[in-house]
């Protein structure tokens, strides 16, 4: 029916769509894989173990730069004026979370390329011998660079959550749990991505230090589940509009995405797989690939659920 | 802030005729597919035979604490000296953050400029000439009153001092500058 006051099309509360969800996923993947790889490196170093050529670190050196660049490409294409995106690099409104994100990414993106170049130093020097001097300097600064990348990766992971939680009228988004949830799920997709790429391309032995990455999966999955519980229990105590928004996990298409994708693929499958699967399976390629793909899909579902269900309920 | 322009919508006088909507479109060259201003006819409320409709004006609320201005990464959304939330088209990249952040859902992308658009109290045209916004001057029942709330003798000031009024979504802390005089009719959910 036509309204006397005109079309309601422009009043659709869902403004940001799947492109933003995939961008948030990519940024989380990149940040998470960096956090896991650098964490692993520190863990090994503190025990005096060698860190050169670890498959998981090689995997992070691929995922880190590739994921963030794909994510940025999506983000720029989604602007209504993609050819004028440079304005965002020139003007900064520091009350905006997005401006802080731009600053973090401006430093983070070149540094993950440096990280990758140091991991694949031989290959880089083979194709670009003229980089030898620069790489030598970077190698000397490697310790500090890793600390800086770790801090920035934390920033990128958290910022993707604050980006959404700054929108005050959406009860599901406007919570302090969201950045923590996004960081936890970034860690889980980062470790899953690292295991997947390491298993597919870099692993020579069956369990090339995938063991240690597995060890962080439980606390990360626990934190992610806890954040989800906090999010929805918190909504229930935050007034009528927020209470109404809890319907996001009980009714509609996004409830299925939540239970099947986020909870099922993202949390239940990985946890059950690593507790119940027979020992003989645990380090087989097929098993590792299946479980990490399940986690990755789960986190992708989480980003879509948060972006769509989050915007569907307005206070 | 030297001026504090506010708009008062008297929901008792409004008849939902959309003259304001049409005047706005014509004054501001708003493309056909989008709109800066709607008066939605909601209801009926109350119980038979005491039924009535609510006339809900939907347009930029010119928030004093505007979420769109806070989230804009480039500062393209800003508040002017007159308190009118404005848009600098040159700085905007079209990230849609302001459109998503607006609690009143009144920002939209203008299909011609690819930049967010919304009510600006006709500041470039009518206000600059010392006239009232198009919606105010065209309203057949005088349901709209516009003026500077910093001026103690202004009509809006007198109206807001003497009549019961409310603003939408005050719990969000946006401090909207569109004030509404509620319908006197009552009712409870059946």
């Amino acid at each position: 029916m036509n309204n006397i006051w005109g079309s309601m099309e422009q009043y659709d509360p869902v403004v940001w769509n799947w492109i933003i969800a995939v961008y948030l996923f990519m940024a989380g993947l990149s940040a998470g894989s960096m956090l896991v790889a650098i964490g692993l490196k520190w863990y090994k170093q503190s025990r005096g173990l060698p860190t050169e050529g670890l498959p998981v670190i090689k995997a992070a050196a691929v995922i880190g730069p590739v994921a963030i660049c794909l994510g940025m490409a999506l983000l720029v294409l989604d602007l209504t004026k993609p050819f004028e995106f440079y304005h965002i690099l020139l003007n900064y409104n520091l009350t905006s979370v997005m401006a802080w994100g731009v600053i973090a990414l401006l430093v983070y993106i070149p540094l993950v390329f440096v990280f990758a170049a140091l991991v694949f130093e031989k290959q880089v020097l083979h194709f670009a011998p003229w980089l030898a001097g620069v790489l030598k300097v970077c190698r000397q600064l490697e310790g500090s660079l890793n600390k800086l990348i770790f801090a920035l990766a934390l920033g990128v992971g958290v910022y993707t959550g604050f980006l959404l939680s700054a929108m005050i009228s959406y009860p599901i988004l406007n919570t302090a749990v969201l950045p923590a949830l996004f960081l936890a799920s970034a860690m889980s997709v980062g470790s899953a991505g690292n295991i997947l790429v390491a298993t597919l391309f870099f692993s020579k032995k069956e369990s090339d230090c995938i063991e240690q990455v597995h060890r962080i999966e439980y606390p990360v999955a626990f934190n992610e589940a806890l954040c989800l519980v906090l999010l929805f229990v918190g909504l229930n105590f935050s007034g009528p509009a927020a209470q109404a928004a809890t319907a996001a996990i009980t009714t509609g298409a996004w409830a299925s995405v939540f239970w099947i994708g986020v909870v099922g693929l993202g949390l239940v499958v990985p946890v059950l797989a690593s507790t119940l699967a027979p020992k003989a399976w645990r380090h087989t390629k097929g098993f590792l690939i299946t479980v990490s793909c399940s986690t990755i899909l789960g986190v992708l579902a989480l980003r879509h659920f948060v972006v769509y269900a989050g915007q569907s309920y307005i206070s | 802030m030297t001026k504090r322009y506010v708009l008062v919508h008297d929901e008792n006088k409004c008849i939902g005729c959309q003259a304001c909507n049409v005047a706005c479109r014509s004054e501001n060259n708003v493309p056909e597919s989008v709109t800066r201003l709607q008066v939605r006819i909601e209801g009926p409320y109350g119980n038979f035979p005491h039924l009535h409709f609510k006339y809900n004006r939907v347009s930029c609320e010119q928030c004093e604490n505007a979420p769109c201005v806070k989230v804009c990464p480039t500062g393209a959304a800003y508040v002017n000296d007159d308190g009118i939330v404005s848009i600098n088209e040159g700085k905007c990249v079209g990230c849609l953050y302001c459109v998503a952040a607006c609690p009143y859902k009144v920002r939209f992308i203008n299909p011609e400029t690819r930049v967010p658009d919304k009510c600006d109290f006709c500041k470039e045209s009518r206000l600059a000439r010392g006239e009232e916004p198009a919606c105010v001057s065209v309203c057949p029942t005088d349901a709209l009153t516009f003026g500077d709330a910093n001026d103690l003798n202004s009509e809006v000031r007198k109206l807001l001092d003497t009549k019961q009024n409310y603003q939408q979504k005050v719990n969000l802390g946006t401090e909207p500058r569109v004030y509404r005089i509620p319908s006197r009719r009552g009712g409870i959910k059946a």
Side-chain angles (χ1 to χ4, degrees), chain A residues 4-5, chain B residues 9 13-20 39-41 55 141:
Chain A
I4 180 180
W5 56 88
Chain B
H9 179 221
K13 290 183 179 173
C14 183
I15 54 171
C17 71
Q18 308 298 324
C20 50
V39 174
R40 297 195 192 139
I41 302 163
Y55 301 105
T141 57

Side-chain angles (χ1 to χ4, degrees), chain A residues 226-244:
Chain A
L226 178 65
C227 287
L228 284 172
V229 172
L230 291 181
L231 178 63
F232 282 95
V233 173
L235 285 179
N236 219 17
F237 302 142
S238 313
Q243 272 174 18

Side-chain angles (χ1 to χ4, degrees), chain B residues 78-100:
Chain B
Y78 66 102
V79 181
N80 231 4
D81 268 354
D82 47 18
I84 296 176
V85 177
S86 307
I87 298 161
N88 180 338
E89 295 192 2
K91 277 186 176 179
C92 178
V93 295
C95 67
L96 301 177
Y97 206 3
C98 60
V99 179

